[in-house]
Amino acid sequence: MKLPNQATMTLFVKNKAQLRELRAYKLDSLMVLLDTYITKAEAAGKNSKSDQVTMEFYPAKDQPGKKVPEQIRITVRNEGAGTTKSADHVDVTLGRVFGVTVDESTNGNNDHVSVRIGSSVKSDSVRAAERKAKNEEKANRSVHNDFSVDLGLNTLVNREAQVGEEYELRPIGSRYVSLNWHYDFRIGPRRSPFHLLTGPELSFNNYMLDKNFRFFDNGTSTTIARDADRELEKSKLSVTTINLPLLAMLNFQNSKGKEAFRIGAGGFVGYRLGSHTKIKYEEDGRTRKDKDRGSYNLEDFQYGLQGAIGVRGIDLFVKYNLNDTFKNNRGPQAQTLSFGVSLLN
């Protein structure tokens, strides 16, 4: 419906019966009621230091027995310095079925009113306003949580020379994967770049040997030597750990308030959950895979340093274990270095 003052009203109904039920609500009384609550919301918004104020009213509880809305939610926003706050988004719930949504632009030229049936029917302007409110609410939160995946490579550094031929790791086969549930704590006001990052990480370190080397374990010690009995297609040690990092991050934003550059450093502690070796070889014309679980004299507790750097949607990480990967004098003396890229962050 297009009204003489250029305002428009759109009704979404599933059938004629629902349309007839709207007669129980008097539009002129509803507008008077809305004007009263909008005035209250604007008064509260002027006294608020926040850029956005949302207030909820429940007329049905205040006026039991009368045909009034169950809930009215009004959002008051300040679009910038020097402007006055005005109600530009109003949601009204008329019982469990009907609803009225009012969107008002800053300059007053694109006012829009829609009457909807059911919560799933929304105008494009309503959806845009809801997305904007959600993004603003997220930006205002001091604590965020997210899920990310680290994909990278492992290498063993600071290796002590061993008796016999030196072993080598396959660079591409020695992969690092970590599933991370991180909590980001902002320290300071909304625009503060200083953050603390922590949260559990489930990590998988793979050490794949080259040149027919494999891991041998006799219970008291673990060694790396060539397999003299067969030609190995694959030989690796896999270790699963649960880690807890603590990083100090600096998150810098661009002029639009979006993250542009991130850098951080800190440490981590971890505990070994399990480990196993796996070799793959040909025997009698058949491919065989031997998988043996055990501790392989690995250190159960790990600790080290961790860093990250990111530009827009690309994040790089590096982790360096300060203690040896294997127990002292019971395995190859070396430390683990992992590096790669973070995804889904």
Side-chain angles (χ1 to χ4, degrees):
M1 292 181 291
K2 189 173 183 180
L3 305 180
N5 62 354
Q6 301 303 313
T8 59
M9 177 178 294
T10 305
L11 288 82
F12 298 92
V13 295
K14 294 181 179 180
N15 50 50
K16 293 181 180 179
Q18 289 183 340
L19 182 61
R20 295 191 184 98
E21 291 180 30
L22 282 173
R23 291 182 295 182
Y25 298 92
K26 296 181 180 179
L27 188 58
D28 54 347
S29 300
L30 178 61
M31 293 299 104
V32 173
L33 186 65
L34 283 180
D35 183 62
T36 301
Y37 286 126
I38 289 174
T39 301
K40 293 181 179 180
E42 288 179 340
K46 291 179 180 179
N47 298 324
S48 175
K49 297 180 180 180
S50 175
D51 293 338
Q52 175 177 306
V53 176
T54 298
M55 300 185 67
E56 293 184 355
F57 304 94
Y58 300 90
K61 293 183 179 179
D62 299 334
Q63 306 177 47
K66 293 187 178 180
K67 204 67 175 178
V68 292
E70 285 189 357
Q71 181 189 51
I72 295 178
R73 176 181 296 177
I74 300 174
T75 299
V76 179
R77 298 188 180 94
N78 185 1
E79 298 297 338
T83 63
T84 58
K85 297 183 179 181
S86 62
D88 60 358
H89 185 73
V90 181
D91 281 324
V92 185
T93 302
L94 307 177
R96 296 184 177 181
V97 178
F98 304 107
V100 176
T101 299
V102 179
D103 281 312
E104 179 183 355
S105 65
T106 305
N107 57 20
N109 293 330
N110 296 309
D111 297 348
H112 180 77
V113 179
S114 64
V115 179
R116 54 185 166 78
I117 306 300
S119 59
S120 61
V121 182
K122 299 179 181 179
S123 65
D124 292 339
S125 57
V126 173
R127 295 179 187 277
E130 289 179 347
R131 286 194 298 268
K132 181 180 179 182
K134 185 178 180 180
N135 292 336
E136 289 178 351
E137 188 273 335
K138 183 177 180 180
N140 286 327
R141 291 204 309 260
S142 60
V143 180
H144 299 268
N145 62 82
D146 58 50
F147 172 77
S148 63
V149 178
D150 291 346
L151 298 179
L153 301 175
N154 290 309
T155 186
L156 293 174
V157 297
N158 301 327
R159 293 189 292 176
E160 291 186 359
Q162 67 172 30
V163 178
E165 188 178 356
E166 287 290 330
Y167 63 90
E168 297 292 340
L169 293 178
R170 291 185 184 179
I172 303 301
S174 300
R175 293 181 290 270
Y176 174 83
V177 179
S178 182
L179 309 178
N180 313 316
W181 291 266
H182 285 159
Y183 293 87
D184 186 329
F185 298 86
R186 186 184 70 237
I187 308 301
R190 177 179 175 182
R191 291 286 184 174
S192 172
F194 185 50
H195 294 244
L196 289 179
L197 187 72
T198 188
E201 300 178 347
L202 183 62
S203 302
F204 306 89
N205 293 81
N206 288 281
Y207 307 93
M208 186 170 292
L209 297 172
D210 203 0
K211 299 179 180 178
N212 221 52
F213 279 89
R214 62 171 295 189
F215 292 90
F216 291 91
D217 181 61
N218 61 12
T220 59
S221 65
T222 298
T223 59
I224 299 177
R226 284 185 180 273
D227 191 321
D229 300 327
R230 70 207 92 189
E231 189 69 26
L232 302 179
E233 295 181 21
K234 181 184 295 185
S235 174
K236 71 174 184 177
L237 169 67
S238 298
V239 184
T240 303
T241 60
I242 182 75
N243 298 324
L244 182 66
L246 179 61
L247 279 75
M249 302 289 298
L250 290 176
N251 294 351
F252 299 100
Q253 300 179 350
N254 58 22
S255 58
K256 296 181 180 180
K258 296 183 178 180
E259 289 189 354
F261 177 73
R262 300 169 296 282
I263 188 170
F268 71 92
V269 294
Y271 180 76
R272 184 181 63 86
L273 300 178
S275 52
H276 69 270
T277 59
K278 183 178 180 180
I279 59 174
K280 180 181 177 182
Y281 57 94
E282 292 283 342
E283 186 177 75
D284 299 329
R286 298 177 57 185
T287 299
R288 296 187 178 275
K289 299 177 182 179
D290 294 345
K291 187 176 181 180
D292 296 312
R293 298 186 180 277
S295 67
Y296 288 88
N297 296 290
L298 291 157
E299 286 284 3
D300 290 331
F301 288 95
Q302 296 284 333
Y303 60 90
L305 302 176
Q306 186 170 343
I309 187 171
V311 178
R312 296 184 180 179
I314 300 176
D315 291 81
L316 304 177
F317 73 90
V318 61
K319 297 180 68 173
Y320 174 64
N321 289 37
L322 292 175
N323 63 331
D324 286 336
T325 303
F326 294 87
K327 295 179 180 178
N328 189 33
N329 295 323
R330 296 181 62 180
Q333 299 303 287
Q335 294 159 295
T336 298
L337 176 68
S338 306
F339 55 91
V341 61
S342 296
L343 306 176
L344 304 178
N345 194 3

